[in-house]
Amino acid sequence: MSKMQPKIISTLKAYSKDQFFKDLTAGLIVAIIALPLSIALAISSGVTPEKGLYTAIIAGFFVSLLGGSRVQIGGPTGAFMVIVYGIVAEFGVAGLTIATIMAGIIMVLMGFLKLGAVIKYIPHPITTGFTSGIALVIFSSQIKDFLGLKIGEVPAAFIEKWAVYLKGIGTFDPMTLAVGGLALGIILLWPKVNRKIPGALIALIVTSALVKILNLDIATIGSKFGEISSALPKLTVPEFDLVYIQMLLPAAFTIAILGSIESLLSAVVSDGMIGGKHRSNMELVGQGVANIMSGLFGGIPATGAIARTVANVKNGGRTPVAGIVHSIALLLILVVFMPLAKMIPLTALAAILIVVAYNMSEWREFKSLLKSPKSDVLVLLITFFLTVLVDLVVAIEVGMVLAAFLFMKRMSEATQVNIEDFDASEEKDGVPVEVHRFDSVDLIKVYEINGPFFFGAADKFISALGELGEKTDILVIRMRHVPIMDATALHGFKRMIEICQRQKTKLIISGIQDQPYKVLEKAGLIDVIGEDHFFTSAVEAVDYANKSVKAHKSGIDSRVL
C-alpha cells in the first residue's frame, strides 16, 4: 500500500550538504530546460507565454513539496496541449482555469481513495494510441509558424487544417523557414557539443539574436502578443458556475486521467534510474494540489514531465529539493528576463515543439504494437485516429470501452464449460489420484467449468444446461479451476438449481474455491444445495455419486447418504 506521506519528509531526514549542491545543480539545469518548453507549450495551447512559466513555477513547486516521488519534476507537457487548446477555444481562459482546478480536485480524491495502482490497468495500446495521436496533432499545429505561412486563422480540425496548409503552401516565407531550420538543426546537433545545456535554449538565443541583429521580418512572440509581463502570478479565484462545471467535467476528467498516467509513468521511469520506489497515491495528491494551485495562480494543467525528470536524475538530483530549486530559478527568470522573450521567433518555438512531437510519437513502440493480437491493434488504431480526427476525450472513452469489451470477449473464450463422463485424473497434494469412471454413466452428468465464471462466460454454462436430460439422476459440477464468479454466473447457478429441482436431479459441487463459495453462501444457495453436497475433490464426489446411484437402484432413500 502506498504510504500517504510526501517524499520530501523522508528524504530530508538524512539530508547532507553534498546532496544539497547536487540538487542545486540539477535544479538549475532543469530550469534552463523547462524555460523554452514552458513558453512554447503555453503559446501552442492557446494562452500567453507567461502562463507556461506560471505553471512550471507553481505546479513544479507543489509537485516536489507534496508528491510521492524523490525526483519528479512537474510542469506543462505536450500531452495536455491538445485538450487545453480545445478548452480555451470553446470556453476561454476562464473555462480552462475551472477545468484545471476541477482536474486537480479529482486527482486529490483519486489519491485519497488509493487509486494510484488502478492507473496501471489502462491498456498499453490506449496510452500509445493517444500519445502518438497527440504527437501528430502537435506536429500539425506547428506547420504554419515553422514555414511562416500567410494564411490567417488555421482550423482546429486535423483534415481541414491540412487542407488549408496545402492550399496556402505557396505563401511560405523562405527566411522564416531558414531560421526555423537553423533552430531545428541546433536542437538536434547541440547534444554532441554539450549535454548539460539544452539545445532548445541555445536555439532560442541564437535565432533571437539573429533576428534582432539582422532586423529580419519574422514573426516573434512580441509581434504576436506585444509586451510580455514579468509580474509575479497572482491568486485569482474563478467564479464557479454550475452550467460551466457540468460542461467542463468531461474535459476535467480527461486532464486528471492523462495527468495521472503521465506522472505515474514518469515516477516509474525515475524509480528504475535511482533504485527507489515512489508512493503512487501520495503522488496523485501532490499532482492534484499542484493543478489546483496552478489554476488559482493563472497557470495551465501540469503533470510529471518525463524528459525533465530524467534530466534531473542524470544531473545528480535525488530529493524533491531539486524540483523546488527548479521552480525558484524559473521564478527569478520570470522576473528578470521575461521581457526579453518577446524577441523569440515563433518558428524557433515551432522547431522545439516539432522535436517534442517526435519524442512523444513513440513510433517504434507503435510499429511493434502492430504485430500484437488483432484486438490490441484495433484498440491502438481506433484510439490513435479518434485522437487525431475527433477528440482526445472521445478517444480515451471509446478506447477504454472497446478494450474492456475485447478483454471480456477473450476471457469468455478462455472460460470453458466441458461435459464429460469423468474418466480423468486430478492431483491431491501434488500426487496424481485416479478418478474412477462412474458405475452408471447414463444417470450421471459431469460439468467442468474452467476459468473465471463471469457474465462473459455464463451464457456457455446456461447453454450447456440444455443438454441436461430428464433421466439424469446426479449432476456434478467441477469448479476447481474457477477463481471467481459474478452475479450473472450466480443467476446461471440459480437456473441450474431450478432445473435440478424440477427434474429431481441431485446436485454435487466439487473443488469449489473460496470466492465462488462465498458468493453462493451470501446468496443463500449453500443451504439450498446442501452443504453435504460440496466436496473438496473429485474422488470424494465420484464415491458419493456412485453410492447415491446404487442406493437409488436398491430403493434406499439417497437423502440419508
Side-chain angles (χ1 to χ4, degrees), residues 126-435:
I126 291 179
T127 57
T128 302
F130 74 65
T131 301
S132 299
I134 290 170
L136 181 56
V137 173
I138 291 175
F139 171 77
S140 300
S141 67
Q142 302 309 307
I143 299 301
K144 177 187 175 183
D145 288 338
F146 188 72
L147 299 179
L149 300 178
K150 297 175 177 61
I151 52 178
E153 199 66 30
V154 178
F158 181 81
I159 294 177
E160 288 83 347
K161 188 194 301 283
W162 277 97
V164 171
Y165 287 159
L166 293 174
K167 186 177 180 180
I169 193 68
T171 66
F172 85 96
D173 179 43
M175 188 56 67
T176 298
L177 178 59
V179 173
L182 174 63
L184 189 60
I186 292 173
I187 295 170
L188 296 177
L189 298 176
W190 180 257
K192 296 181 179 180
V193 178
N194 188 306
R195 289 187 174 274
K196 293 288 185 181
I197 302 174
L201 180 65
I202 301 300
L204 292 188
I205 293 174
V206 171
T207 55
S208 298
L210 192 65
V211 169
K212 181 68 175 177
I213 294 171
L214 300 181
N215 196 26
L216 300 177
D217 185 20
I218 289 177
T220 62
I221 291 179
S223 66
K224 183 173 182 177
F225 295 98
E227 291 296 323
I228 307 300
S229 174
S230 60
L232 296 176
K234 296 180 181 179
L235 176 65
T236 304
V237 180
E239 185 176 333
F240 287 89
D241 182 89
L242 184 59
V243 176
Y244 246 38
I245 291 175
Q246 292 175 337
M247 295 172 69
L248 288 166
L249 193 57
F253 265 106
T254 302
I255 292 172
I257 296 298
L258 200 58
S260 300
I261 294 171
E262 190 165 4
S263 63
L264 294 180
L265 177 61
S266 176
V268 169
V269 171
S270 63
D271 281 351
M273 297 179 69
I274 65 174
K277 187 175 183 181
H278 72 283
R279 297 165 184 163
S280 58
N281 294 314
M282 194 64 232
E283 181 64 20
L284 289 182
V285 172
Q287 294 284 343
V289 173
N291 275 279
I292 293 171
M293 299 307 293
S294 178
L296 291 175
F297 281 93
I300 60 178
T303 184
I306 296 178
R308 276 160 270 175
T309 299
V310 169
N312 180 35
V313 173
K314 288 185 175 180
N315 286 283
R318 289 297 182 273
T319 77
V321 171
I324 294 174
V325 168
H326 137 270
S327 294
I328 295 173
L330 285 175
L331 181 64
L332 295 175
I333 291 172
L334 170 70
V335 174
V336 178
F337 297 107
M338 196 58 184
L340 298 177
K342 66 181 180 180
M343 296 188 297
I344 297 174
L346 294 181
T347 185
L349 291 178
I352 292 173
L353 289 180
I354 286 173
V355 174
V356 168
Y358 176 81
N359 291 333
M360 275 188 68
S361 67
E362 298 186 358
W363 65 270
R364 293 181 181 85
E365 185 65 25
F366 192 99
K367 182 179 177 181
S368 67
L369 278 174
L370 293 176
K371 300 175 184 178
S372 302
K374 291 181 180 179
S375 57
D376 290 324
V377 174
L378 181 64
V379 171
L380 171 71
L381 294 178
I382 286 180
T383 305
F384 172 77
F385 283 113
L386 285 177
T387 300
V388 174
L389 301 176
V390 183
D391 179 70
L392 179 60
V393 178
V394 174
I396 294 177
E397 290 174 348
V398 173
M400 285 298 295
V401 171
L402 181 61
F405 273 111
L406 291 173
F407 171 76
M408 289 184 288
K409 181 177 182 296
R410 286 198 295 266
M411 290 298 293
S412 65
E413 289 171 350
T415 302
Q416 299 296 326
V417 179
N418 302 318
I419 303 174
E420 54 188 46
D421 64 2
F422 224 109
D423 188 13
S425 64
E426 67 174 23
E427 288 188 355
K428 187 175 183 180
D429 298 327
V431 180
V433 178
E434 189 68 24
V435 180

Side-chain angles (χ1 to χ4, degrees), residues 465 470 495-505:
L465 290 176
E470 292 184 4
R495 285 188 58 181
M496 176 186 65
I497 293 171
E498 291 171 1
I499 293 172
C500 289
Q501 289 175 338
R502 187 170 59 249
Q503 299 181 180
K504 294 182 171 44
T505 300

